[in-house]
Amino acid sequence: MAYQTVNPANNKLIKEYPSHTDADVEAALSTADALYHSDWSKGSMDKRLAVLHKLADLIDSRTEELAKIASEEMGKLIAQSRGEVKLCAQIARYYADNAKQFLAPVKYPSEMGEAWVEHHPIGVVMAVEPWNFPYYQLMRVLAPNLAAGNPVIAKHASIVPHCAESFAHLVREAGAPDGAWTNLFISSDQVATIIADDRVQGAALTGSEKAGSIVAAQAAKHIKKSTLELGGNDVFVVLDDADLEKAVKIGVNARLANAGQVCTAAKRFILHEKVAEQFLEKYTEAFRNIRIGDPLDESTRLGPLSSKDALETLTKQVDEAVKNGATLHYGGKPVQREGSFFEPTILTNITRDNPAYFEEFFGPVAQIYVVKNDDEAVKLANDSHYGLGGAVFSKDIDRAKKMASKIETGMVWINWLTDTAAELPFGGVKRSGYGRELSDLGIKEFVNQKLVVIRR
């Protein structure tokens, strides 16, 4: 697969990048493995944390430059790109400040003797990452593993090579030695070879269900730990006592941010029948007023999809949904202009036998469902192959909390969209994957939790 930068706002090729050879892969493995067996990984954490502090400062100082690269390469609105860059600095700083505490020995009271668990790096980790958050996805893997002492080899998505290269240069500039983070422009076959290599001890993937199943199978075949963050079909539940103005405003952002290309974007809007008509009316009006345009223009509210392929896939999905009985309430077509733009779209009357009911729509397409009560809402929410995030809107917090506890996902937000922060664990269940990133949980995914006991 060719690694190239194509601006999705006009589909013009900016630059092509040569792929790395098998010899490059071997050199990367050898360097990463040597680093793991050195004092960098095995010695004091202080030097590694100093790199994360420097990296955070570097990212903060280059917010505008990095944001522009992301917006031109995958179409993210410039303000959202800035937000992503700032979040990366926050994650680096968070692990620089907290990793020592997270990986400190933990005592276990026991009649067997004095017992504690230590945390040690396990070795080289292979990371396969997607294009939709081209820096954040990398930082989620880098920061905890750098702190823990695991060298990382990364294969980024083929449509964001400039972001991948920029990130690798920043890590090097921050003082990380060769092998701590290696960016490779490689094929899926080369990824499989790396995972199979004895020098590699883990695999982390964020991406599609299909890619996740391939990487997980390869890791399992070679008895390697893996973590997966895959697709989502997140619900956005609006109960009859919700603040409708707030729910509509946040609901628009929850569906259209990053042109709807977010694993945790609100995709299924589950509305209580008492407020459904009113919500849909306000929501449709909000979609009608969305300004579509150049992602570098500060006034744009909806930019392009990431590529021509993404546009074609979404167009087919919407057409199929309608063909199978869904009502096209609003939008539903590519925008007639240069670039990979798709109209903000609302689908209603989706029945369970419609393939759209279970699919993830990676773009600005909202599905509307109407329910009679809380139990119906929960049942519909859980009738999904996915289980990543979700949101519940209600003025009655106890009622919302009860519903949140019953929804089968890795994350639920009350009166807000599914969001992320360095200190909060991120991940899902079912076909949305397993394992957690960020927070104290994320740093412990790829460490040896070693028990030591002194028998008196």
Side-chain angles (χ1 to χ4, degrees):
M1 183 176 284
Y3 282 79
Q4 49 186 216
T5 299
V6 176
N7 185 342
N10 54 28
N11 290 332
K12 287 179 180 162
L13 175 66
I14 296 172
K15 186 178 177 183
E16 290 198 61
Y17 293 73
S19 294
H20 287 99
T21 64
D22 290 344
D24 295 326
V25 169
E26 173 53 37
L29 280 166
S30 180
T31 303
D33 184 57
L35 186 67
Y36 168 64
H37 288 100
S38 75
D39 186 57
W40 165 262
S41 287
K42 309 285 192 180
S44 167
M45 195 188 290
D46 291 344
K47 56 186 176 293
R48 302 195 298 269
L49 302 187
V51 170
L52 285 176
H53 271 300
K54 177 78 186 298
L55 181 58
D57 291 342
L58 278 173
I59 291 170
D60 275 338
S61 71
R62 296 192 195 156
T63 299
E64 205 59 32
E65 174 195 337
L66 292 166
K68 193 176 177 199
I69 290 169
S71 290
E72 285 185 343
E73 192 161 56
M74 55 74 57
K76 193 187 299 282
L77 299 189
I78 188 66
Q80 291 173 14
S81 291
R82 286 187 201 112
E84 180 181 341
V85 172
K86 287 171 183 170
L87 177 58
C88 288
Q90 185 210 5
I91 294 168
R93 210 166 269 124
Y94 174 78
Y95 281 109
D97 291 341
N98 294 287
K100 261 191 178 171
Q101 173 197 330
F102 293 156
L103 299 183
V106 178
K107 288 187 176 181
Y108 280 72
S110 171
E111 292 178 5
M112 297 291 288
E114 185 183 347
W116 66 93
V117 164
E118 298 174 353
H119 302 92
H120 298 280
I122 60 168
V124 181
V125 174
M126 177 73 223
V128 181
E129 300 302 321
W131 46 261
N132 58 338
F133 288 89
Y135 302 123
Y136 161 73
Q137 297 288 173
L138 302 186
M139 185 58 83
R140 281 200 330 203
V141 179
L142 169 80
N145 283 293
L146 187 82
N150 294 320
V152 180
I153 293 174
K155 181 222 174 292
H156 213 342
S158 62
I159 65 170
V160 286
H162 194 180
C163 289
E165 211 171 58
S166 301
F167 188 87
H169 288 157
L170 281 166
V171 176
R172 192 76 186 87
E173 193 179 336
D178 288 345
W181 177 269
T182 308
N183 170 63
L184 292 178
F185 297 139
I186 53 177
S187 67
S188 50
D189 286 347
Q190 286 170 304
V191 170
T193 300
I194 292 170
I195 294 171
D197 194 285
D198 285 344
R199 291 164 290 188
V200 173
Q201 294 303 317
L205 176 138
T206 296
S208 69
E209 188 184 330
K210 182 183 175 186
S213 67
I214 293 168
V215 164
Q218 180 71 345
K221 181 181 174 185
H222 296 278
I223 316 178
K224 311 281 177 76
K225 171 78 184 281
S226 63
T227 60
L228 303 178
E229 194 266 280
L230 309 177
N233 201 0
D234 286 16
V235 292
F236 190 97
V237 182
V238 183
L239 299 177
D240 52 328
D241 65 346
D243 179 336
L244 269 194
E245 297 294 333
K246 181 180 179 182
V248 169
K249 187 178 178 183
I250 294 172
V252 170
N253 193 36
R255 181 61 279 201
L256 300 187
N258 207 22
Q261 302 166 120
V262 185
C263 302
T264 57
K267 289 161 189 157
R268 296 181 296 153
F269 288 77
I270 299 177
L271 313 176
H272 192 287
E273 63 180 8
K274 288 182 182 172
V275 295
E277 194 176 325
Q278 205 180 346
F279 179 93
L280 184 55
E281 191 180 305
K282 290 174 184 290
Y283 198 71
T284 308
E285 185 58 29
F287 267 28
R288 215 172 260 127
N289 292 324
I290 291 297
R291 188 174 189 279
I292 300 170
D294 181 354
L296 294 174
D297 182 338
E298 303 280 357
S299 65
T300 298
R301 288 289 311 283
L302 182 63
L305 296 181
S306 62
S307 65
K308 281 168 74 174
D309 284 351
L311 182 66
E312 286 169 15
T313 299
L314 189 67
T315 304
K316 278 181 195 163
Q317 274 186 298
V318 171
D319 289 348
E320 280 297 308
V322 173
K323 200 164 94 178
N324 282 280
T327 300
L328 186 59
H329 177 80
Y330 183 77
K333 298 187 300 296
V335 180
Q336 295 306 303
R337 58 176 290 161
E338 70 170 0
S340 299
F341 294 83
F342 195 86
E343 295 174 335
T345 297
I346 299 171
L347 295 172
T348 60
N349 299 316
I350 299 167
T351 53
R352 197 175 187 276
D353 58 355
N354 190 328
Y357 184 91
F358 289 107
E359 284 178 355
E360 177 180 31
F361 284 65
F362 222 54
V365 179
Q367 300 184 4
I368 302 291
Y369 299 88
V370 181
V371 294
K372 288 184 167 57
N373 53 47
D374 293 15
D375 288 343
E376 260 191 38
V378 170
K379 187 179 176 188
L380 180 52
N382 292 340
D383 191 17
S384 170
H385 299 319
Y386 297 110
L388 194 52
V392 177
F393 280 74
S394 171
K395 287 177 186 167
D396 184 339
I397 298 301
D398 285 339
R399 179 185 182 191
K401 280 164 67 177
K402 278 177 191 161
M403 180 172 284
S405 294
K406 291 176 183 174
I407 291 175
E408 296 166 351
T409 59
M411 305 169 280
V412 181
W413 291 67
I414 293 171
N415 294 330
W416 193 251
L417 50 80
T418 307
D419 212 337
T420 185
E423 66 275 11
L424 300 176
F426 191 103
V429 294
K430 302 184 189 178
R431 291 189 200 169
S432 290
Y434 49 78
R436 293 293 180 268
E437 291 184 311
L438 303 176
S439 78
D440 61 319
L441 302 184
I443 200 169
K444 291 182 180 174
E445 288 287 358
F446 293 106
V447 296
N448 176 10
Q449 301 185 43
K450 182 196 291 182
L451 173 68
V452 182
V453 184
I454 302 172
R455 185 72 190 238
R456 302 290 185 190

